[in-house]
Amino acid sequence: MLRRLSLPLAATAMIGACGLLVSALAAPAVEGGGKQGLNPAAIVMFFAFVLGTLYITYRAAQGSKSAADFYAAGGGITGFQNGLAIAGDYMSAASFLGISGLVFASGFDGLLYSIGFLVGWPIVLFLIAERLRNLGKFTFADVASFRLDQTQIRILSATGTLVVVAFYLIAQMVGAGKLIELLFGLDYLYAIVIVGALMIVYVAFGGMKATTWVQIIKACLLLGGATFMALAVLWNFGFNPEAMFSEAVRTHPKGDAIMAPGGMVSDPVSTISLGLALMFGTAGLPHILMRFFTVSDAQAARKSVFYATGFIAYFYILTFIIGFGAITFLMNDPSYYTAGAGGVVNKITGLIGGTNMAAVHLANAVGGGLFLGFISAVAFATILAVVAGLTLSGASAVSHDLYAEVIARGRTNERKEVNISKITAVVIGVVAIVLGYVFENQNVAFMVGLAFAVAASCNFPVLLMSTMWKGCTTFGAMVGGFAGLVSAVMMVVLSKAVWVQTFGFREAWFPYDNPALFSMTIAFVGIWMASKADSSQRARDEVASYDAQYVRSETGIGAASAHQH
């Protein structure tokens, strides 16, 4: 029934988006306050992308006949395609808008996020990808609960997944809202409602197939656009990066400080904590882990990581050039700024739309209105694709892990499970809109850093210990996993970024913005100590069943194959 309704509902969502944008077209252009004049090229490209992806969603809905199709695209995605899709999933608003904005504001320290986001991939390649594909079916909870208690581990995994998805969605919704606000002159609330509506349509009707192809298309567009922008910046300096850095130092208010570390993360504890979160959080992101079930076997999973790492590494080099290029092109041009009190222009915080929009403004500076339109549409596509992947992973955690395996305990059918997932996607979309509105003024790269911290403190320790340590028991995984999750969330809430800057309290209770160093330690120690203390018969049975799990994780014997229609 839902499949038959997919086209008219998608069309309804599109008409709603059109209505909001037409109201923007009818409104006068606004300078300042986060908005600027309308760009016809951007609007045309925006609609072209949305219409194209809605068509993909319709076709995918026609071909999604089972839970395997909805959750894992039937396992029929090739290694190269999945590598592009993973890169598309990973090159989020935090990567494109957030990192370039951080480099624009802080210089060298922005590279900490670029490197941190990248170095987690060898961990995924050598420790996670093959075992995940051989042991799981649809979600990483399938892997963590392979020899441990299904009910308890799935509750833990689903909880960790939903918390990570919530933090990650905040960043994407903020980036999308600011982008559409800047591009179309829409109010921020209307902008995030558009994103939420389109996200629900993609996931609820197209499932993993639609999400995968949206991510592949978006990855190609983003890599192409970022390459052109970086080359245009370097061409202006005779392809001499040293000349670009020298000009940036002369232009930036912080001067030489932008070429040295410590401007953004000033103490060693914060630096190490952020680095651990970015490095190990990658291996705990549910929407990334879910992608390894879309390929046919473990070999294709490894190829996926290999290709994805190459695309992502190349992209992060480009974001660094784009960030410094934005300093040299934008800070000397007052047309990209709004004046503050007394007519004074702050070259960092006064940028129209905030520092998250540095890359978008740079597109206009190097390529004019047409290229601005292209980059704006690509940035929107970037956010939409990532949001769709996040929503699908959250919906899968509820429908597959909680409903099918915990509540119904297998006494359900695929159609009902998939319908529950679609309903959950709608709920997550509404929650994402609310969270995006509340956290409007947070830097998107910083918010994703918090999502990585939670993933590194709950999902990754449980996944790693359950697959790599024979002594891990259900009791240990539950104690350590929930301890890591609760401590990470509490430390995030009590940090300056949330407790003071978002909630408005006077002083922070936790002195560091990123908790991973502490919460990861709590998780791993908790798993080890509780497992060692568990002397129950179930614990002995779980330890004894490790050898069978190890054989399957290494050989793939008995692993789920690609779905056949």
Side-chain angles (χ1 to χ4, degrees):
M1 179 66 181
L2 282 170
R3 193 182 300 122
R4 290 198 299 271
L5 291 174
S6 61
L7 184 57
L9 283 175
T12 302
M14 186 63 205
I15 291 169
C18 289
L20 287 172
L21 291 176
V22 167
S23 69
L25 288 167
V30 179
E31 295 293 342
K35 304 173 187 175
Q36 67 176 24
L38 295 169
N39 185 320
I43 294 170
V44 170
M45 293 177 190
F46 170 87
F47 279 120
F49 175 80
V50 171
L51 287 170
T53 51
L54 284 174
Y55 176 72
I56 291 171
T57 303
Y58 171 67
R59 292 298 300 271
Q62 299 297 101
S64 293
K65 301 175 182 178
S66 67
D69 290 326
F70 186 82
Y71 293 130
I77 306 298
T78 68
F80 180 77
Q81 290 170 343
N82 199 44
L84 261 178
I86 290 173
D89 226 341
Y90 203 69
M91 295 184 302
S92 63
S95 302
F96 184 49
L97 302 178
I99 292 178
S100 56
L102 285 174
V103 174
F104 174 81
S106 303
F108 179 88
D109 267 4
L111 189 61
L112 183 63
Y113 276 87
S114 294
I115 294 174
F117 283 141
L118 178 62
V119 295
W121 284 101
I123 295 171
V124 177
L125 176 60
F126 293 112
L127 294 181
I128 300 295
E130 185 175 347
R131 292 176 175 85
L132 203 71
R133 180 61 187 84
N134 285 338
L135 293 173
K137 187 178 181 183
F138 296 144
T139 67
F140 84 92
D142 293 335
V143 179
S145 63
F146 187 86
R147 65 184 175 92
L148 305 181
D149 182 75
Q150 293 278 329
T151 300
Q152 296 185 56
I153 296 300
R154 287 186 186 277
I155 290 173
L156 170 63
S157 300
T159 305
T161 293
L162 291 173
V163 173
V164 171
V165 166
F167 275 114
Y168 218 127
L169 274 176
I170 291 171
Q172 308 310 316
M173 297 300 287
V174 169
K178 289 296 183 182
L179 180 66
I180 297 178
E181 180 185 41
L182 174 74
L183 193 60
F184 300 117
L186 274 176
D187 287 340
Y188 178 78
L189 178 60
Y190 294 145
I192 60 174
V193 168
I194 290 174
V195 178
L198 289 171
M199 166 187 82
I200 290 168
V201 171
Y202 291 157
V203 174
F205 300 110
M208 181 58 85
K209 283 187 178 180
T211 301
T212 296
W213 284 105
V214 168
Q215 287 160 346
I216 289 173
I217 293 169
K218 159 255 171 143
C220 294
L221 292 174
L222 183 59
L223 287 169
T227 298
F228 178 84
M229 198 187 306
L231 289 176
V233 169
L234 291 175
W235 179 80
N236 190 67
F237 294 98
F239 293 96
N240 183 357
E242 185 178 354
M244 178 185 70
F245 293 137
S246 298
E247 178 63 24
V249 167
R250 286 192 293 270
T251 304
H252 202 283
K254 296 180 181 178
D256 290 340
I258 65 170
M259 299 306 296
M264 184 175 66
V265 185
S266 56
D267 64 281
V269 173
S270 296
T271 304
I272 294 171
S273 192
L274 175 60
L276 288 174
L278 299 181
M279 182 164 54
F280 294 106
T282 300
L285 294 176
H287 64 299
I288 297 296
L289 298 176
M290 197 173 176
R291 294 228 54 89
F292 295 113
F293 305 117
T294 65
V295 293
S296 58
D297 52 35
Q299 182 181 14
R302 289 194 301 271
K303 286 183 178 179
S304 299
V305 181
F306 176 77
Y307 289 126
T309 304
F311 291 130
I312 293 166
Y314 172 67
F315 176 74
Y316 283 142
I317 294 172
L318 299 180
T319 59
F320 198 58
I321 297 172
I322 289 169
F324 274 97
I327 295 173
T328 62
F329 276 83
L330 304 182
M331 286 191 174
N332 291 322
D333 189 341
S335 66
Y336 293 106
Y337 288 86
T338 54
V344 177
V345 174
N346 187 312
K347 288 189 174 183
I348 299 175
T349 60
L351 193 69
I352 295 174
T355 57
N356 288 329
M357 292 297 107
V360 177
H361 289 306
L362 179 63
N364 185 56
V366 301
L370 185 63
F371 188 55
L372 168 64
F374 175 78
I375 286 296
S376 299
V378 168
F380 179 77
T382 295
I383 294 165
L384 211 52
V386 175
V387 162
L390 284 165
T391 305
L392 183 59
S393 65
S396 301
V398 173
S399 61
H400 178 64
D401 296 328
L402 291 182
Y403 173 75
E405 301 295 338
V406 175
I407 298 173
R409 295 183 180 273
R411 298 186 300 273
T412 184
N413 55 57
E414 287 191 349
R415 177 177 294 182
K416 189 170 184 180
E417 183 179 333
V418 170
N419 286 342
I420 292 290
S421 188
K422 293 177 178 182
I423 294 169
T424 306
V426 176
V427 174
I428 291 175
V430 173
V431 172
I433 292 170
V434 173
L435 291 175
Y437 185 73
V438 171
F439 289 87
E440 176 182 354
N441 296 314
Q442 286 290 341
N443 179 277
V444 291
F446 172 75
M447 290 306 300
V448 167
L450 298 184
F452 273 66
V454 176
S457 304
C458 176
N459 298 350
F460 173 68
V462 172
L463 185 61
L464 185 72
M465 296 292 267
S466 65
T467 57
M468 301 291 287
W469 182 40
K470 185 174 184 176
C472 181
T473 67
T474 297
F475 179 67
M478 293 296 289
V479 170
F482 272 117
L485 175 63
V486 172
S487 62
V489 173
M490 288 298 295
M491 291 175 193
V492 166
V493 171
L494 296 176
S495 69
K496 180 181 178 182
V498 176
W499 195 250
V500 177
Q501 296 176 3
T502 301
F503 293 157
F505 291 99
R506 185 170 299 176
E507 293 184 7
W509 288 52
F510 182 69
Y512 305 104
D513 284 340
N514 199 293
L517 176 62
F518 307 96
S519 53
M520 267 186 72
T521 303
I522 290 172
F524 277 109
V525 171
I527 293 173
W528 180 78
M529 290 184 65
S531 294
K532 285 290 187 181
D534 187 2
S535 58
S536 65
Q537 181 59 48
R538 186 180 69 181
R540 290 194 290 270
D541 292 341
E542 289 166 353
V543 171
S545 62
Y546 176 80
D547 291 338
Q549 174 185 282
Y550 178 77
V551 170
R552 172 153 163 184
S553 70
E554 294 295 325
T555 65
I557 297 174
S561 59
H563 184 69
Q564 299 294 327
H565 295 301

